[in-house]
Amino acid sequence: MIVPVILCGGSGTRLWPQSRQAYPKQFLSLTSENSMFQETLLRLDGVEHAEPIIVCNAQHRFIVSEQLRQMDLQAGAIVLEPLARNTAPAISLAAQKALELHDDPVLLVLAADHLISDLEPFFLAIDRAKTLADSGFMVTFGITPQKPETGYGYIYAGNRIDDHSFKIDSFKEKPDYATACEYVDSGDYFWNSGMFMFKASVFRQQLADFAPVIAASADLAFKNSESDSHFIHVDETAFAACPDESVDNAVMELTEQGAIIPLDAGWSDVGSWDALWEALDKDENSNVVKGEAITLDTKGCYISSERSLIATAGLENLVIVESDDSILVAHKDSAQSVKAIVKTLDSQGGSKHKVHRKVFRPWGHYDSIDAGKRFQVKRICVKPGHRLSLQMHHHRAEHWIVVKGTALITRGEETELLTENQSTYIPVGVKHRLENPGKVNLEIIEVQSGSYLQEDDIVRFDDIYGRTD
């Protein structure tokens, strides 16, 4: 039995301003109409497998469940990491859940944010990897390098196991350009894809042998987890004791059972804007254009617009990305430096590296369309049959105006139905709730006024999604 394990913990900082902490790249539609996460799930249609186990950050749990719902797909489990601890602890949690559900299955560990454009070689490599995994090997998929690349780690292939696989000799960190050229010219090195295949029991034993603190802490965190109908909430205290370590460093670099299956399937981790430009179809001037743009004498550029017309003239090899509240302009050769921009934003204490203007919630989303010193205006959309928590604010009052659909309003001890063009007022300190009892999206304009307008001024009394913050 193959159990896919989809790791959704990446932050995607090099794809800012589209990728942000609250909505990172794996949940964005970058290479197709589907998100990267959804494409990873759909890719599994060519593999005989059990329902996948999803491991994600707790703050992304409703994004994961919504994107599964959109594709009418089911997960075997959605395991929530209370904080980021890298891939070794994450896979340990998934392995424990897989052993609960199945009799020592083979785990196919995939990142949620990779692109694979040629599926037949991918499926063939999985078949070959499963044969090795059934024999006790811990398999990684090594990408046949297409060029010297300094943004990826490499794996040096050792002796042959069979016609299609090698023992792992060693892992190499991201090299400089001259070293990368040597690796590629030798033909003995592969890009480290971060995709793996091994039996759950083999992984757990090897993790206990080489990283006993991770194994013990992850075991305890899973043992003390709490489950509801949708999610497995891992114990935060125990999980925090896990060292922050990748599965490569914790196990794969140390095990004697490591194997590598070469893979040439149009793979990319789409980790930066230049990588995304390389992966997508281009026009006659080698431009990738998404959204509304006019390009005059412009070549080799990645241009993306969400709201505005972008007009260019006389440009070459640039990245221009306009999001709802930020604009990035960079040379493609400097695409790796976007991570430093995010670090600067973080040091300045702002929020534009964390959230978009449009923020998704389990009940729908809101868009902050205007703000001043003592006011804020939001456009709120509530999905049919969903409702916000019963809540109260200490520092702000709210005016709600219905622009589409029907709203069921709770205000104190009163309830009322509002329809299009009707409005209501929620005073400071009054318990209230907004609900959509209809069959179409409810859209309202919310005008907040008060001395403090941040999202942490919410006291929740009841929430159908189990949120406390």
Side-chain angles (χ1 to χ4, degrees):
M1 175 66 68
I2 293 177
V3 176
V5 174
I6 313 299
L7 303 180
C8 300
S11 57
T13 53
R14 288 175 294 169
L15 287 176
W16 183 87
Q18 286 193 348
S19 176
R20 305 201 186 181
Q21 189 179 104
Y23 211 92
K25 74 166 183 174
Q26 57 267 31
F27 304 120
L28 300 176
S29 302
L30 296 174
T31 60
S32 74
E33 293 182 354
N34 301 313
S35 72
M36 303 290 288
F37 168 62
Q38 290 171 325
E39 287 292 338
T40 302
L41 293 168
L42 292 173
R43 196 174 298 138
L44 295 170
D45 286 349
V47 179
E48 187 174 346
H49 64 88
E51 290 181 337
I53 295 173
I54 315 297
V55 184
C56 70
N57 189 289
Q59 77 173 118
H60 301 143
R61 62 193 185 278
F62 297 114
I63 302 174
V64 167
S65 60
E66 173 62 15
Q67 294 201 353
L68 285 167
R69 186 200 63 79
Q70 290 171 0
M71 308 301 290
D72 196 24
L73 296 173
Q74 297 290 325
I78 301 175
V79 182
L80 306 182
E81 295 178 286
L83 65 168
R85 281 295 182 264
N86 218 313
T87 54
I91 296 171
S92 181
L93 297 175
Q96 291 177 77
K97 185 60 184 178
L99 286 167
E100 275 191 1
L101 297 172
H102 308 282
D103 182 16
D104 197 13
V106 171
L107 306 182
L108 173 60
V109 181
L110 303 173
D113 55 359
H114 289 178
L115 170 68
I116 296 177
S117 57
D118 192 355
L119 293 181
E120 288 306 317
F122 176 63
F123 299 147
L124 182 59
I126 288 175
D127 286 342
R128 291 169 174 170
K130 187 176 186 303
T131 300
L132 292 176
D134 283 335
S135 300
F137 281 100
M138 303 187 73
V139 183
T140 186
F141 298 86
I143 306 302
T144 305
Q146 306 300 313
K147 63 175 183 176
E149 174 61 64
T150 60
Y152 298 144
Y154 285 72
I155 305 174
Y156 180 43
N159 296 328
R160 279 192 174 275
I161 299 172
D162 55 32
D163 291 342
H164 308 295
S165 62
F166 303 86
K167 292 282 287 182
I168 293 174
D169 182 279
S170 57
F171 285 74
K172 305 295 182 182
E173 294 298 324
K174 296 175 182 178
D176 58 30
Y177 184 74
T179 304
C181 289
E182 293 176 7
Y183 288 170
V184 174
D185 290 342
S186 75
D188 297 325
Y189 290 82
F190 298 88
W191 290 340
N192 183 4
S193 70
M195 300 186 294
F196 305 94
M197 203 170 199
F198 34 64
K199 280 188 173 181
S201 62
V202 171
F203 171 78
R204 282 178 51 75
Q205 183 59 58
Q206 294 286 289
L207 186 68
D209 290 345
F210 296 115
V213 176
I214 293 177
S217 300
D219 279 1
L220 183 60
F222 186 80
K223 179 181 178 182
N224 294 341
S225 63
E226 296 181 359
S227 300
D228 56 32
S229 57
H230 301 288
F231 309 109
I232 298 172
H233 301 263
V234 172
D235 181 73
E236 181 172 359
T237 301
F239 195 68
C242 287
D244 186 332
E245 198 164 358
S246 70
V247 66
D248 309 66
N249 294 334
V251 177
M252 297 301 295
E253 293 181 1
L254 304 172
T255 182
E256 295 295 322
Q257 298 165 227
I260 182 169
I261 295 281
L263 176 63
D264 187 0
W267 174 92
S268 172
D269 74 344
V270 197
S272 59
W273 290 115
D274 59 325
L276 184 57
W277 173 84
E278 287 186 356
L280 296 178
D281 293 335
K282 303 164 187 65
D283 65 17
E284 64 276 10
N285 293 310
S286 294
N287 296 315
V288 173
V289 178
K290 302 181 74 174
E292 189 177 9
I294 297 174
T295 57
L296 301 178
D297 191 24
T298 296
K299 301 177 182 177
C301 291
Y302 181 92
I303 300 170
S304 175
S305 169
E306 288 190 9
R307 297 171 180 265
S308 304
L309 167 68
I310 294 179
T312 64
L315 300 182
E316 191 168 351
N317 294 330
L318 293 185
V319 172
I320 304 171
V321 180
E322 180 249 5
S323 72
D324 51 13
D325 62 0
S326 302
I327 298 174
L328 170 71
V329 180
H331 197 280
K332 281 196 324 215
D333 291 344
S334 299
Q336 300 291 334
S337 300
V338 174
K339 191 172 184 177
I341 294 175
V342 174
K343 187 175 181 180
T344 299
L345 288 169
D346 188 34
S347 69
Q348 292 174 347
S351 62
K352 289 187 176 179
H353 64 297
K354 296 180 180 179
V355 295
H356 288 274
R357 204 182 81 172
K358 186 176 183 179
V359 177
F360 289 87
R361 291 288 187 255
W363 42 260
H365 63 264
Y366 68 82
D367 188 355
S368 299
I369 57 180
D370 197 8
K373 189 174 181 179
R374 290 182 58 88
F375 78 91
Q376 183 168 216
V377 182
K378 293 182 177 180
R379 181 188 296 114
I380 296 177
C381 178
V382 184
K383 296 180 292 188
H386 287 256
R387 62 183 181 180
L388 283 65
S389 59
L390 180 64
Q391 58 187 252
M392 180 266 287
H393 310 296
H394 289 294
H395 303 287
R396 72 174 185 248
E398 295 173 341
H399 296 257
W400 292 343
I401 305 167
V402 178
V403 295
K404 179 183 176 182
T406 301
L408 176 59
I409 309 295
T410 299
R411 185 180 57 247
E413 300 300 321
E414 303 173 350
T415 60
E416 63 176 329
L417 278 174
L418 298 182
T419 56
E420 196 169 310
N421 295 322
Q422 293 182 321
S423 63
T424 191
Y425 170 67
I426 311 295
V428 173
V430 173
K431 290 184 181 180
H432 58 278
R433 168 177 270 155
L434 176 64
E435 183 173 352
N436 181 0
K439 297 185 181 300
V440 299
N441 284 344
L442 165 65
E443 296 181 12
I444 74 165
I445 298 297
E446 176 182 87
V447 181
Q448 303 175 358
S449 59
S451 59
Y452 184 79
L453 304 173
Q454 300 303 311
E455 286 302 304
D456 56 359
D457 180 24
I458 297 178
V459 179
R460 286 197 172 96
F461 300 97
D462 175 62
D463 184 66
I464 62 173
Y465 310 105
R467 297 172 298 167
T468 58
D469 56 354

